[in-house]
Amino acid sequence: EIENKLVINKPNSSMMKIFSFKNSNEVIRKFILFIIRIFIAAVFIFSGVAKLLEIQGFIQIVHKFQIVPELVLPYFAAVLPAIELFLGLCLIFNLFTRLAIMSLSILLTIFIIAITITMVRGISVNCGCFGGFFKNVVGLHALAKDFFLLGFLIFFIRFHKKYFVTP
């Protein structure tokens, strides 16, 4: 007697993971984090390059903030854009990502403090965010931009499991 057995090929469990709802959320999360990483990288690469291309103008902008001592002003004005460029490139190439994200978060916090101090003191100066390429006067617009970028970095820190521990 021949038994008729209906054989159903069960899909491979790894194939099921590709199409699972949980995995699709993971793909979306990784895509969003990738876009944030590239966006932040592009902003800081552009900012660093813009400042380095017009270093004398950037030195004058930093001087007008009246925060950095004149003795270290030229060094500060050269090192800051180099750091921005380096950290942006780290993000583009996904190297030292945790260090880059944390460093940029600290840098943006310092920028927010400097802008706030300058606003409170009533000093009208180009924010220098992108060297001389954009003439943005220090104010709520520059402050909002930095908070916006910091928000993206905090989002990245909160939701990127590879580099940061999440609750």
Side-chain angles (χ1 to χ4, degrees):
E1 290 178 28
I2 300 176
E3 241 179 78
N4 287 335
K5 291 185 179 179
L6 180 60
V7 178
I8 299 176
N9 288 333
K10 291 186 179 178
N12 183 341
S13 65
S14 63
M15 285 298 289
M16 289 302 288
K17 287 181 184 177
I18 292 173
F19 297 107
S20 73
F21 179 73
K22 182 178 178 184
N23 197 33
S24 67
N25 284 341
E26 185 68 11
V27 169
I28 292 169
R29 183 184 66 82
K30 285 182 178 181
F31 178 74
I32 290 170
L33 290 172
F34 171 77
I35 295 299
I36 289 172
R37 183 172 56 84
I38 299 304
F39 172 73
I40 295 291
V43 168
F44 280 95
I45 289 170
F46 179 74
S47 176
V49 169
K51 291 171 187 169
L52 288 171
L53 288 176
E54 200 177 302
I55 193 74
Q56 290 304 318
F58 183 60
I59 290 171
Q60 291 173 1
I61 290 169
V62 173
H63 177 62
K64 290 178 184 176
F65 272 81
Q66 301 174 10
I67 295 175
V68 178
E70 287 200 39
L71 181 64
V72 297
L73 187 61
Y75 305 107
F76 176 83
V79 170
L80 177 64
I83 290 172
E84 290 177 334
L85 179 60
F86 173 74
L87 295 174
L89 290 171
C90 284
L91 290 182
I92 285 287
F93 294 111
N94 207 17
L95 300 170
F96 310 111
T97 304
R98 181 185 171 111
L99 172 69
I101 292 292
M102 297 306 287
S103 298
L104 289 172
S105 298
I106 292 167
L107 204 55
L108 280 169
T109 302
I110 292 169
F111 292 165
I112 289 168
I113 292 168
I115 290 169
T116 304
I117 289 170
T118 304
M119 287 172 59
V120 167
R121 291 167 55 198
I123 299 171
S124 180
V125 61
N126 176 1
C127 75
C129 301
F130 300 102
F133 279 88
F134 298 111
K135 306 291 184 202
N136 293 330
V137 175
V138 166
L140 292 178
H141 179 267
L143 205 55
K145 176 194 59 68
D146 285 348
F147 272 115
F148 179 75
L149 292 171
L150 185 59
F152 271 142
L153 291 171
I154 290 168
F155 181 87
F156 190 93
I157 291 168
R158 171 64 180 93
F159 291 102
H160 201 292
K161 295 175 184 172
K162 181 176 177 184
Y163 302 110
F164 301 94
V165 177
T166 56

